[in-house]
Amino acid sequence: MTYECILTERHGDGANGMLQTGLIRLNRPKQMNALNDQLMDELGQALLAFDADATIGCIVVTGNEKAFAAGADIAAMKDYDFQHTFRTEYISRNWETMRRVRKPVIAAVGGVALGGGCEVAMMCDIIIAADNAKFGQPEITIGVVPGAGGTQRLPRAIGKAKAMDMVLTNRWINAQQAEAWGLVSRVVPADKLMDEAFTVAGQINSFGQISVMAAKEAVNRAFESSLADGLWYERRLFHAMFGTDDQREGMAAFLEKRPPKFQRPE
């Protein structure tokens, strides 16, 4: 497809059945990648297209060196009223598409990830931050509150006290703080950001697709259920893996001291 607000690429040659990585680059540089409806529609379409592509094992979402995304597009929002946002399901309609993606999604964050940009990053499964990255939820400064998970995912990642500090005082944190607080998975030099993201994606791509998707489901379930329910769900997925060719191949390869050859698309 042809997009106006994002760029898409495929990484990896796909030789010998190796899975490739889908790259989605937010591309409104003059607006610091501010997130408007068109961009979010296109992001959702690209995510679902890569998710449905059997040759793609992992997806990376990134921006540019100055901004992952500086937030939702305020110029587009300023004239909205309650009737419009409620009737059109603003945010719910297209921002939540990320939740339907079954394959792992990595956010490669350089520069600022503010407001909606921070929220989109938190929707991803892994956040890799450049050492120049900054995270914040500045909605309070323009008379609103976070609307795409900033008051819900952020406390789950860093705890109530620190989330309150960020949401109520417009406190921005740098990449090192974000890693120490548990918001990001790892921090790398800015010029190594994409290399690291593709390395991580390649590691994920080397494993069996069924177990990768099941593991993602199980971890996400931990945030939406009690411990007892989560453990039950995990156990059922664990049992289900014993019905897969990848489990048989993986365990046989381990015992035979050889690399496994997991199932790949033809």
Side-chain angles (χ1 to χ4, degrees), residues 10-163:
R10 304 170 68 94
H11 283 258
D13 58 18
N16 300 316
M18 289 298 293
L19 295 173
Q20 295 178 294
T21 298
L23 173 66
I24 304 173
R25 188 180 297 276
L26 311 182
N27 189 42
R28 299 185 73 208
K30 292 181 180 179
Q31 297 82 17
M32 298 286 283
N33 292 334
L35 307 170
N36 61 7
D37 265 342
Q38 182 178 359
L39 187 152
M40 296 309 296
D41 284 341
E42 292 181 1
L43 175 60
Q45 291 166 9
L47 284 167
L48 294 179
F50 279 139
D51 200 39
D53 188 332
T55 66
I56 296 291
C58 194
I59 304 166
V60 174
V61 178
T62 192
N64 57 49
E65 65 278 2
K66 292 183 178 180
F68 178 76
D73 192 332
I74 298 172
M77 289 192 297
K78 67 180 181 64
D79 294 325
Y80 291 173
D81 57 20
F82 170 77
Q83 289 89 336
H84 173 81
T85 57
F86 186 77
R87 185 181 66 254
T88 62
E89 288 194 301
Y90 180 53
I91 294 180
S92 302
R93 180 181 62 80
N94 46 12
W95 290 55
E96 294 293 314
T97 303
M98 185 86 72
R99 298 182 64 187
R100 296 162 53 192
V101 178
R102 301 182 70 195
K103 295 172 182 174
V105 181
I106 298 170
V109 178
V112 295
L114 303 175
C118 186
E119 290 169 316
V120 167
M122 289 190 291
M123 292 179 191
C124 298
D125 302 304
I126 295 173
I127 302 177
I128 301 174
D131 56 9
N132 71 338
K134 290 183 172 61
F135 300 84
Q137 296 289 162
E139 290 86 349
I140 202 79
T141 67
I142 57 170
V144 295
V145 300
T151 66
Q152 302 302 305
R153 292 188 178 94
L154 192 60
R156 285 167 167 79
I158 67 175
K160 176 183 174 181
K162 290 182 172 63

Side-chain angles (χ1 to χ4, degrees), residues 57 102-104 204-205 207-217:
R102 301 182 70 195
K103 295 172 182 174
I204 294 171
N205 289 344
F207 305 131
Q209 276 190 299
I210 298 298
S211 58
V212 165
M213 290 191 292
K216 170 177 171 170
E217 279 189 16

Side-chain angles (χ1 to χ4, degrees), residues 175-188:
Q176 292 73 24
Q177 288 171 301
E179 182 182 31
W181 290 3
L183 180 60
V184 308
S185 306
R186 57 185 80 183
V187 177
V188 297

